[in-house]
């Protein structure tokens, strides 16, 4: 596996990292709070986007 593909996460992987449900992940994508790309119908989320989302949430609560 290359480094580039290791940085793209599936929805279930994001669910596990954020400890949220599938529909919430898609809500975050739909509302553009979580960046994603689509590859031939498969949704992928860059690991950096997940990190940025978490950091943004921390900043909002501080």
């Amino acid at each position: 596996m290359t480094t580039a593909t290791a940085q793209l996460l599936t929805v279930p992987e994001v669910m596990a990292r954020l400890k949220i449900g599938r529909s919430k992940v898609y809500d975050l994508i739909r509302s553009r709070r979580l960046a994603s790309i689509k590859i031939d119908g498969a949704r992928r989320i860059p690991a950096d986007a997940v990190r940025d989302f978490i950091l943004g949430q921390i900043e909002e609560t501080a």
Side-chain angles (χ1 to χ4, degrees):
M1 184 184 319
T2 66
T3 310
T5 56
Q7 294 177 6
L8 290 177
L9 305 172
T10 64
V11 170
E13 289 170 332
V14 173
M15 289 167 53
R17 286 188 184 202
L18 297 178
K19 297 184 180 12
I20 59 175
R22 178 183 176 93
S23 61
K24 185 60 179 177
V25 172
Y26 281 107
D27 284 344
L28 292 172
I29 291 169
R30 225 178 340 271
S31 66
R32 297 183 180 263
R33 293 175 64 202
L34 184 62
S36 71
I37 60 171
K38 211 167 187 184
I39 303 171
D40 292 332
R43 184 65 63 182
R44 295 294 179 261
I45 300 96
D48 289 345
V50 176
R51 187 199 69 233
D52 292 344
F53 173 76
I54 293 168
L55 292 175
Q57 291 300 111
I58 292 170
E59 287 177 10
E60 281 182 22
T61 60

